[in-house]
């Protein structure tokens, strides 16, 4: 196996970093959205459902382009929120985090929702008649009982984040050592002559990371089943 | 406890519209499946919101659409025991029991874990997970969890209907004992007349989301006589058993009843009213092991048949016969009569 260059190591490190941060950032929002969509009845619920799931059906490049329009210097968020605060997102690793979070968000919400929908409504009613308010019920009943959904959603999102390409290349670019993740590095090596071997090596790294994640998920699931 | 309910709720095609005030410590809500019993208790407990009207518990409004009062379920202090135990699967038995207790204000904590554990006999279960309990143990823990939240009233929503007969009559004493020991008034919901007669003193009879009547459990049982194929069932609480001729002899009024089966210090048995044969005069010989000398204390219509209340000392039985038999036997109030009952006609409950 050929030796990786420093920028290759940075790509591996950045891929893991972006996927971890995107997953952790999305978790509270994913839980909140899943909760609202499972337990609240309100007008516009279908519209919210469509909006949340849209990144799942749209090509990632489209998601990336829309994010660029939104967060770019002339975009509404970029111009009116980020610039006054002195924050630059586009073509930084933070933009890769946002792109990964947006693309993986529906997977996380769906998994957590599935977990919440499996909770017997009578358990929630029991907790309320025992004196627990809504927040208390969320913390002491809903969250612990949807832990498998939370785990599955996080793992799915992390795995999706490791492979994110289309949206990331649009909003973060493909700058070696700065925004280049494993998929972007593979893309660059495949496009260049004599890059096949190193591209294959990065593929193996990708496969190894995915296998580790899946084994971790399986181990965690078994632990939760034993606690149950 | 005084419960005033005057509210409406539309649920798809079902409309609940009830207006009643009921007083008592052991109140039953009776009605067939689908008549709105669970909707009613959901509205009282604050799990559902009525469309309009008001609900008062001991004169205090927990819901009033006019005054815009809607006390949330967690502040109504109404404990609930559901059809199934619905214990929190991620918590131990002890943590389940203490869930409501910890959320109860300190000055309201009159029932303690120790007192409750003694009454429900669940001391050896405390550190176990709830998934390793039997059905009866789970329901006892569910009762304990609701009682330990120190509620001002308890709602039992068909707590026995998911249990088989033998388990049902094991749980009933725990239900009654825990409410009596800690003086908690309760609403007992069921479609079973037998359960209603054991658990409730006043019964609200419901049909299609409306009040069909408010009466005692005995009045309810008699009102249902003749309306269906099932006969009136005598429920007898018998004490002081002894063995006699291979059977169990229990004191009953100024005589005794012979019942086939095991002897118990106390027994709850049922006797179908159609299994009692009446004689105007002593029948000299009969294969029935029980021949009671009784006085007719009441006669009442039961559809096409007639209910005859028989007093044997201070204890009473009801026999059901056809109208022609009443004429043949010339039965009237105060008339002395003989009742023959086979020892095998009694069915012990539990």
């Amino acid at each position: 196996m050929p030796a990786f260059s420093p920028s290759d190591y940075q790509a591996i490190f950045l891929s893991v970093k972006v996927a971890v941060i995107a997953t952790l950032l999305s978790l509270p929002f994913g839980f909140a959205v899943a909760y609202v969509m499972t337990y609240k009845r309100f007008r516009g619920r279908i519209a919210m459902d469509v909006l949340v799931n849209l990144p799942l059906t749209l090509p990632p490049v489209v998601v990336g382009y829309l994010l660029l329009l939104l967060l770019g210097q002339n975009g509404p968020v970029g111009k009116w929120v980020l610039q006054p605060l002195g924050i630059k997102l586009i073509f930084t690793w933070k933009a890769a985090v946002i792109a990964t979070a947006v693309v993986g968000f529906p997977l996380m919400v769906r998994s957590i929702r599935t977990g919440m929908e499996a909770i017997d409504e009578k358990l929630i009613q029991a907790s309320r008649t025992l004196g627990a308010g809504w927040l208390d019920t969320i913390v002491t009943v809903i969250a612990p009982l949807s832990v498998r959904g939370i785990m599955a959603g996080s793992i799915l999102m992390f795995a999706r984040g490791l492979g994110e390409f289309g949206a990331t290349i649009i909003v973060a670019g493909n700058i070696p050592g700065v925004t280049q993740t494993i998929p972007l590095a593979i893309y660059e090596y495949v496009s260049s002559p004599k890059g096949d071997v190193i591209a294959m090596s990065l593929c193996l790294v990708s496969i190894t990371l995915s296998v580790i994640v899946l084994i971790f998920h399986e181990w965690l699931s078994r632990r939760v089943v034993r606690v149950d | 406890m005084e419960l005033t309910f005057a509210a409406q709720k539309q649920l798809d095609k079902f409309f609940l519209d009830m207006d009643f005030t009921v007083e008592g410590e052991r109140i039953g809500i009776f009605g067939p499946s689908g008549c709105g019993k669970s909707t009613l208790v959901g509205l009282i407990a604050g799990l559902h919101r009525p469309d309009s009207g008001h609900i008062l518990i001991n004169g205090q409004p927990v819901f009033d659409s006019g005054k815009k009062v809607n006390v949330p379920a967690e502040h109504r202090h109404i404990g609930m025991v559901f059809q199934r135990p619905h214990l929190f699967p991620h918590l131990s038995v002890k943590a389940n029991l203490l869930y409501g207790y910890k959320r109860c204000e300190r000055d309201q904590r009159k029932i303690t874990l120790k007192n409750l554990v003694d009454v429900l006999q669940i001391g050896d279960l405390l550190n176990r997970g709830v998934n390793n309990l039997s059905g009866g143990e789970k329901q006892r823990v569910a009762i304990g969890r609701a009682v330990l939240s120190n509620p001002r009233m308890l709602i039992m929503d068909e707590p026995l209907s998911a249990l088989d007969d033998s388990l049902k009559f094991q749980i009933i004493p725990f239900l009654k004992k825990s409410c009596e020991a800690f003086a908690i008034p309760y609403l007992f919901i069921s479609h079973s007349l037998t359960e209603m007669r054991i658990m409730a003193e006043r019964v609200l009879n419901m049909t299609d989301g409306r009040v069909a009547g408010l009466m005692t459990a005995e009045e309810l049982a008699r009102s249902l006589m003749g309306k269906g194929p099932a006969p009136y069932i005598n429920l007898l609480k018998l004490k002081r058993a002894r063995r006699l001729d291979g059977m169990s002899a229990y004191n009953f009024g100024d005589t005794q009843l012979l019942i086939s089966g095991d002897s118990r210090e106390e027994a709850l048995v049922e006797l179908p009213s159609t299994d009692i044969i009446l004689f105007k005069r002593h029948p000299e010989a009969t294969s029935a092991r029980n021949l009671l000398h009784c006085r007719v204390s009441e006669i009442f219509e039961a559809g096409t048949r007639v209910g005859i209340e028989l007093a044997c000392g201070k204890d009473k039985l009801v026999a059901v016969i056809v109208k022609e038999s009443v004429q043949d036997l010339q039965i009237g109030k105060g008339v002395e009569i003989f009742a023959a009952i086979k020892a095998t006609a009694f069915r012990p409950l539990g």
Side-chain angles (χ1 to χ4, degrees):
Chain A
M1 183 184 285
F4 288 132
S5 68
S7 68
D8 296 334
Y9 284 114
Q10 279 174 334
I12 296 167
F13 173 73
L14 191 64
S15 278
V16 176
K17 179 179 159 184
V18 165
V20 167
I21 294 175
T23 304
L24 293 178
L25 268 181
S26 302
L27 197 52
F29 297 103
F31 186 87
V33 170
Y35 173 80
V36 168
M37 292 178 70
T38 307
Y39 295 106
K40 300 290 174 190
R41 298 285 171 268
F42 57 94
R43 270 187 201 180
R45 196 161 163 269
I46 294 172
M48 186 175 176
D49 201 3
V50 169
L51 192 70
V52 167
N53 284 305
L54 205 56
L56 205 60
T57 50
L58 283 176
V61 174
V62 174
V63 175
Y65 185 62
L66 291 175
L67 281 175
L68 191 64
L69 292 178
L70 195 71
L71 305 173
Q73 283 188 342
N74 295 320
V77 176
K79 193 170 184 178
W80 302 110
V81 181
L82 299 178
Q83 273 189 27
L85 294 172
I87 299 170
K88 187 179 181 299
L89 279 182
I90 301 301
F91 299 121
T92 68
W93 68 272
K94 292 170 199 159
V97 168
I98 290 173
T100 303
V102 171
V103 170
F105 194 68
L107 295 172
M108 174 173 270
V109 172
R110 273 173 174 255
S111 295
I112 299 176
R113 245 180 105 177
T114 305
M116 284 180 178
E117 281 166 355
I119 300 172
D120 191 332
E121 196 193 346
K122 293 280 182 197
L123 290 174
I124 295 163
Q125 292 184 351
S127 85
R128 296 203 60 213
T129 59
L130 290 166
W134 271 112
L135 191 61
D136 192 352
T137 301
I138 289 171
V139 173
T140 58
V141 178
I142 295 174
L145 292 180
S146 48
V147 74
R148 264 191 257 185
I150 294 170
M151 263 167 38
S154 302
I155 298 287
L156 265 177
M157 179 152 183
F158 180 78
R160 177 70 185 83
L162 282 179
E164 168 44 34
F165 178 84
T168 307
I169 201 165
I170 300 282
V171 288
N174 187 3
I175 310 163
V178 181
T179 63
Q180 192 177 64
T181 56
I182 297 174
L184 300 177
I186 293 172
Y187 171 72
E188 195 170 289
Y189 279 119
V190 170
S191 316
S192 61
K194 297 180 187 172
D196 287 356
V197 177
I198 198 86
M200 179 51 78
S201 303
L202 284 172
C203 282
L204 287 175
V205 171
S206 227
I207 292 167
T208 309
L209 283 173
S210 300
V211 169
I212 290 170
V213 167
L214 290 173
I215 290 172
F216 176 69
H217 179 229
E218 194 61 25
W219 173 79
L220 215 56
S221 299
R222 281 167 196 263
R223 269 185 68 99
V224 170
V225 171
R226 270 213 295 276
V227 171
D228 279 358
Chain B
M1 172 182 68
E2 185 191 73
L3 172 67
T4 302
F5 185 99
Q8 297 76 38
K9 177 78 178 172
Q10 181 78 53
L11 285 168
D12 297 326
K13 289 178 183 171
F14 178 79
F15 184 57
L16 183 133
D17 181 8
M18 298 183 75
D19 188 348
F20 63 86
T21 296
V22 61
E23 264 183 272
E25 302 303 295
R26 302 192 296 133
I27 299 167
I29 296 178
F30 177 81
S33 295
C35 74
K37 302 187 294 294
S38 292
T39 304
L40 173 68
V41 296
L43 296 172
I44 295 169
L47 300 172
H48 309 300
R49 186 194 170 98
D51 298 332
S52 59
H54 61 267
I55 304 167
L56 311 177
I57 298 173
N58 295 329
Q60 293 178 326
V62 290
F63 178 83
D64 191 326
S65 57
K67 293 176 184 167
K68 298 204 183 314
V69 174
N70 185 22
V71 178
E74 59 268 28
H75 294 140
R76 290 196 185 187
H77 302 293
I78 297 175
M80 275 199 80
V81 180
F82 300 94
Q83 187 173 341
R84 295 187 183 279
H86 297 295
L87 299 174
F88 301 123
H90 57 298
L91 301 178
S92 68
V93 168
K94 190 176 179 183
N96 264 281
L97 289 169
L98 290 172
Y99 191 91
Y101 183 80
K102 285 178 180 170
R103 286 160 179 81
C104 176
E105 288 157 28
R106 282 180 188 277
D107 58 339
Q108 307 262 321
R109 292 178 186 173
K110 288 167 190 151
I111 306 163
T112 63
L113 180 65
K114 190 189 174 309
N115 298 343
L116 181 92
V117 163
D118 292 343
V119 171
L120 291 174
Q121 299 167 17
I122 48 175
D124 54 338
L125 307 179
L126 288 181
N127 295 317
R128 284 165 63 177
V130 296
N131 297 322
N132 302 321
L133 303 179
S134 69
E137 287 170 339
K138 280 183 184 174
Q139 199 60 325
R140 266 151 64 197
V141 174
I143 296 165
R145 184 179 65 174
V147 168
L148 203 55
S149 69
N150 287 266
R152 60 173 157 179
M153 77 185 261
L154 203 58
I155 293 180
M156 306 184 205
D157 188 5
E158 305 246 17
L160 306 169
S161 60
L163 305 175
D164 61 39
D165 262 10
S166 72
L167 209 50
K168 189 180 287 187
F169 293 101
Q170 281 173 32
I171 294 295
I172 284 175
F174 288 112
L175 276 177
K176 294 185 82 167
K177 220 160 63 176
S178 41
C179 290
E180 281 163 15
F182 305 118
I184 306 171
Y186 62 77
L187 275 186
F188 182 82
I189 290 84
S190 181
H191 62 270
S192 158
L193 185 57
T194 306
E195 289 173 18
M196 204 47 73
R197 290 170 70 194
I198 295 170
M199 292 297 297
E201 50 191 14
R202 299 284 292 162
V203 179
L204 182 82
N205 190 12
M206 278 184 76
T207 177
D208 291 333
R210 284 172 174 73
V211 178
L214 187 60
M215 58 200 84
T216 65
E218 185 57 28
E219 284 167 348
L220 174 69
R222 291 190 183 189
S223 75
L224 294 174
M225 280 170 72
K227 287 187 180 170
Y232 173 90
I233 304 288
N234 290 285
L235 278 182
L236 309 174
K237 285 176 196 162
L238 302 173
K239 289 182 179 174
R240 288 184 286 283
R242 57 208 169 272
R243 296 301 291 175
L244 194 69
D245 300 337
M247 286 179 275
S248 305
Y250 292 91
N251 291 346
F252 185 76
D254 49 12
T255 179
Q256 65 180 11
L257 286 176
L258 285 174
I259 296 176
S260 51
D262 299 335
S263 301
R264 298 178 195 180
E265 180 54 30
E266 285 188 19
L268 181 66
V269 297
E270 59 177 28
L271 169 67
S273 54
T274 46
D275 284 357
I276 303 173
I277 299 171
L278 301 181
F279 295 90
K280 192 173 180 184
R281 280 180 285 278
H282 194 293
E284 287 194 10
T286 170
S287 63
R289 300 309 300 146
N290 297 289
L291 188 64
L292 310 178
H293 188 196
C294 323
R295 184 184 300 277
V296 174
S297 53
E298 198 182 333
I299 301 173
F300 52 93
E301 292 280 326
T304 56
R305 290 174 285 180
V306 179
I308 313 289
E309 188 184 79
L310 307 165
C312 309
K314 60 180 176 39
D315 288 327
K316 290 178 178 174
L317 282 176
V318 171
V320 170
I321 55 176
V322 293
K323 285 178 181 169
E324 290 77 9
S325 299
V326 177
Q327 287 168 359
D328 292 349
L329 293 165
Q330 294 173 318
I331 293 174
K333 201 170 173 182
V335 166
E336 295 203 345
I337 204 164
F338 290 90
I341 313 164
K342 283 188 163 191
T344 52
F346 298 90
R347 190 173 82 96
L349 300 176

